[in-house]
């Protein structure tokens, strides 16, 4: 008998799938494979790849042993219970969750800090709660790449920024991952006067010692909302600092390119947009490894738009669109996107720039726009036939951050609402 608290519960069985052929049932618990306790579906997928497996399944008070030749390949035909994620015990001075207003849905107050989410979805983790046992599992199961929030290598500065009482031995953990050839992508949230200047240079230079397994480092500006009551006072990144960071990153990336054949250091689009500087060419971002962090996202969007433009129709039936965006993206939308769309005969496109009243004027990205701000600022406007939302302002449940959904926004504005996921060509093809 296998003892331990770990097991993986089956919620559903697909008809005609391999799990059904084995005779498994909803409610069964997969306890072990080849004597190894199964904690989650990552364990299941990894240990289930052996050529011959012995799988122990618990059903009620009984246990059953299944012997499977050739391992478990492809879709197992079962839906498992969701993993129980580790939460963050840090008290980061810049944490965006702490800057949420009250009375939002509970999930917006959950601070995840789980290396498995980093591997599966690219979530950033500080590694503060990652134990030696966790590190060994990462190495053994090749959970790569990982995305790591570093912020500062200097121990005192890192303790201050993350609200730690002692040294969390980050460099030892990075060294272990480096020695086990786990690919890492690092993030630095830039807080003026705290981790910039010499501290920033020290952080970058130290991380570069672990190249190529620390493959990229992204620098992003701290995000500050109007709901920072009783929180650590942080200065926002201003235009002057943004210009300095652009110049600094250009010089440093050239140095690293000469050494590594890679730019290594990348900065968020906000630095260019807030300072009015031209975005780098696509080649600057290489394989866009930090795009989910807002690094190169604008360049990729513009590249895809201009590529799609070759397939735009010359003429459509008369139609008026209102395109919604945040303040940060308004400049390139008004100069590059809207004029090109208006070249199409029959199409009349206007831009509606939404100020983020919900989080405050310091938050200007489109991904943090909320339903109530869009409604209040678009109400009593001639919106035309279609209101077009940014692709990143709704979650997978189609909810804004303030719990509004598209139906509620439609009822308020009485206009057809669309949220294209792959660009404007998708809309044009469906007129």
């Amino acid at each position: 008998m296998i003892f331990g608290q770990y097991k993986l519960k089956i919620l559903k069985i697909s008809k005609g799938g391999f799990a059904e052929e084995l005779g498994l049932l909803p409610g069964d618990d997969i306890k072990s494979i080849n004597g190894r306790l199964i904690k989650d579906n990552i364990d299941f997928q990894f240990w289930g790849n052996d050529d011959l497996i012995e799988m122990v399944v618990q059903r009620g008070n009984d246990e059953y042993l299944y012997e499977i030749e050739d391992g478990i390949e492809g879709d197992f035909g079962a839906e498992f219970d969701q993993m129980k994620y580790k939460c963050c015990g840090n008290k980061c001075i810049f944490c965006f969750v702490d800057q949420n207003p009250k009375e939002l849905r509970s999930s917006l107050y959950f601070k995840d800090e789980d290396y498995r989410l980093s591997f599966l979805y690219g979530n950033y983790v500080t590694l503060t709660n990652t134990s030696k046992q966790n590190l060994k599992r990462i190495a053994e199961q090749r959970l790569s790449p990982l995305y790591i929030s570093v912020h500062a290598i200097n121990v005192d500065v890192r303790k201050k920024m993350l609200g730690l009482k002692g040294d969390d031995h980050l460099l030892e953990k990075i060294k272990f991952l480096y020695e086990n050839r786990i690919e890492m992508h690092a993030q630095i949230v830039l807080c003026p006067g705290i981790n910039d200047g010499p501290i920033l240079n020290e952080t970058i230079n130290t991380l570069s010692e672990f190249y190529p397994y620390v493959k990229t480092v992204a620098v992003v500006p701290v995000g500050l909302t109007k709901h920072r009551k009783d929180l650590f006072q942080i200065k926002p990144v201003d235009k002057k600092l943004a210009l300095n960071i652009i110049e600094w990153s250009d010089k440093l990336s050239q140095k690293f390119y000469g050494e590594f054949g890679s730019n290594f250091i990348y900065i968020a689009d906000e630095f260019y947009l807030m300072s009015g500087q031209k975005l780098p060419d696509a080649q600057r971002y290489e394989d866009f490894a930090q795009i989910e962090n807002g690094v190169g996202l604008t360049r990729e969007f513009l590249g895809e738009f201009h590529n799609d433009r070759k397939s735009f129709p010359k003429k459509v039936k008369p139609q008026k669109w209102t395109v919604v965006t945040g303040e940060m993206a308004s400049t390139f939308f008004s100069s590059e996107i809207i004029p090109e769309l208006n070249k199409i005969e029959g199409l009349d496109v206007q831009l509606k720039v939404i100020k983020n009243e919900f989080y405050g004027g310091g938050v200007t990205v489109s991904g943090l726009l909320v339903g109530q701000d869009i409604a209040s600022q678009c109400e009593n406007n001639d919106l035309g036939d279609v209101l077009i939302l940014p692709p990143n302002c709704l979650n997978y449940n189609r909810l804004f951050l303030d719990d509004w959904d598209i139906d509620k926004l439609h009822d308020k504005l009485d206009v057809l609402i669309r949220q294209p996921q792959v660009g404007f060509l998708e809309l044009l093809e469906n007129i």
Side-chain angles (χ1 to χ4, degrees), residues 27-235:
D28 286 351
D29 292 314
I30 298 176
K31 296 195 69 175
S32 71
I33 292 178
N34 291 346
R36 295 181 179 271
L37 294 176
I38 302 301
K39 300 179 286 293
D40 50 42
N41 56 1
I42 296 177
D43 273 348
F44 177 79
Q45 292 175 23
F46 185 80
W47 300 118
N49 278 327
D50 289 348
D51 292 335
L52 175 65
I53 69 173
E54 293 184 344
M55 183 171 69
V56 176
V57 175
Q58 181 176 341
R59 182 177 301 156
N61 294 324
D62 299 321
E63 287 188 353
Y64 300 87
L65 177 64
Y66 294 82
E67 293 186 353
I68 304 171
E69 295 183 359
D70 300 324
I72 300 170
E73 297 182 358
D75 185 8
F76 185 61
E79 180 182 328
F80 298 117
D81 193 11
Q82 187 176 12
M83 289 190 291
K84 304 299 187 291
Y85 301 130
K86 291 183 178 182
C87 65
C88 180
N90 302 331
K91 296 180 180 178
C92 297
I93 61 175
F94 53 85
C95 179
F96 199 86
V97 174
D98 291 339
Q99 302 179 69
N100 273 325
K102 297 179 179 179
E103 300 179 355
L104 300 181
R105 58 184 180 271
S106 60
S107 61
L108 294 177
Y109 301 104
F110 179 74
K111 305 177 185 181
D112 67 82
E113 172 67 26
D114 197 312
Y115 65 90
R116 297 170 301 173
L117 290 175
S118 185
F119 166 66
L120 290 171
Y121 306 116
N123 294 18
Y124 280 88
V125 291
T126 63
L127 297 183
T128 53
N129 68 358
T130 305
S131 65
K132 290 182 179 179
Q133 184 180 3
N134 296 151
L135 291 170
K136 288 179 181 178
R137 182 191 182 190
I138 291 169
E140 184 176 31
Q141 297 186 353
R142 311 304 304 160
L143 304 186
S144 176
L146 294 179
Y147 296 80
I148 302 172
S149 288
V150 174
H151 310 311
I153 291 298
N154 180 283
V155 174
D156 290 333
V157 175
R158 182 171 166 83
K159 283 165 58 180
K160 178 180 181 178
M161 294 190 71
L162 273 62
L164 303 175
K165 293 182 179 180
D167 185 358
D168 66 332
H169 304 286
L170 174 68
L171 281 181
E172 294 176 25
K173 296 172 183 178
I174 289 178
K175 183 179 179 182
F176 176 87
L177 296 172
Y178 169 85
E179 290 172 346
N180 284 275
R181 301 184 179 184
I182 300 297
E183 183 178 301
M184 293 166 274
H185 298 273
Q187 169 189 240
I188 297 169
V189 173
L190 190 69
C191 298
I194 299 173
N195 66 335
D196 54 354
I199 296 295
L200 179 59
N201 283 320
E202 177 193 21
T203 302
I204 297 296
N205 290 328
T206 302
L207 290 174
S208 71
E209 296 172 8
F210 297 98
Y211 186 85
Y213 294 107
V214 173
K215 189 175 181 182
T216 66
V217 180
V219 180
V220 302
V222 63
L224 305 173
T225 82
K226 67 180 183 182
H227 305 286
R228 290 189 57 83
K229 184 178 180 181
D230 300 325
L231 297 178
F232 190 95
Q233 293 299 309
I234 301 176
K235 296 178 182 178

Side-chain angles (χ1 to χ4, degrees), residues 124 147 185 215-216 285-292 295:
Y124 280 88
Y147 296 80
H185 298 273
K215 189 175 181 182
T216 66
Y285 301 100
E286 298 177 56
D287 59 357
F288 288 85
Q290 296 259 14
I291 195 165
E292 296 297 329
V295 178

Side-chain angles (χ1 to χ4, degrees), residues 305-314 344 425 428-429:
F305 176 82
H306 288 296
N307 186 61
D308 287 348
R309 185 167 53 90
K310 301 170 187 175
S311 301
F312 284 177
K314 291 188 167 112
I344 301 171
L425 183 59
L428 290 166
E429 289 176 340

Side-chain angles (χ1 to χ4, degrees), residues 206-367:
T206 302
L207 290 174
S208 71
E209 296 172 8
F210 297 98
Y211 186 85
Y213 294 107
V214 173
K215 189 175 181 182
T216 66
V217 180
V219 180
V220 302
V222 63
L224 305 173
T225 82
K226 67 180 183 182
H227 305 286
R228 290 189 57 83
K229 184 178 180 181
D230 300 325
L231 297 178
F232 190 95
Q233 293 299 309
I234 301 176
K235 296 178 182 178
V237 174
D238 58 18
K239 181 177 179 179
K240 180 179 179 181
L241 180 55
L243 288 169
N244 289 338
I245 290 295
I246 293 171
E247 182 180 1
W248 166 83
S249 67
D250 285 345
K251 290 180 179 178
L252 203 54
S253 64
Q254 290 175 16
K255 169 183 172 291
F256 286 128
Y257 196 86
E259 295 176 8
F260 303 149
S262 168
N263 291 308
F264 185 64
I265 173 82
Y266 307 84
I267 62 174
D269 298 2
E270 289 104 308
F271 290 108
Y272 298 98
L273 296 174
M274 73 171 62
S275 61
Q277 297 301 295
K278 182 181 177 182
L279 289 164
D281 294 335
Q283 292 84 349
R284 171 67 177 85
Y285 301 100
E286 298 177 56
D287 59 357
F288 288 85
Q290 296 259 14
I291 195 165
E292 296 297 329
N293 210 8
V295 178
L297 186 63
T298 306
R299 172 52 63 203
E300 184 187 60
F301 174 81
L302 289 171
E304 290 177 351
F305 176 82
H306 288 296
N307 186 61
D308 287 348
R309 185 167 53 90
K310 301 170 187 175
S311 301
F312 284 177
K314 291 188 167 112
K315 181 178 181 181
V316 296
K317 68 178 183 180
Q319 191 156 142
K320 182 176 180 179
W321 293 357
T322 297
V323 174
V324 167
T325 192
E327 293 177 290
M328 183 72 73
S330 61
T331 300
F332 76 81
F333 258 90
S334 60
S335 62
E336 295 194 50
I337 304 299
I338 304 302
E340 288 298 330
L341 290 172
N342 279 325
K343 289 179 180 179
I344 301 171
E345 185 179 346
L347 190 61
D348 178 12
V349 184
Q350 64 179 354
L351 183 67
K352 182 62 180 178
V353 181
I354 303 297
K355 183 176 181 179
N356 200 319
E357 302 288 356
F358 186 78
Y359 279 112
V363 176
T364 58
V365 295
S366 60

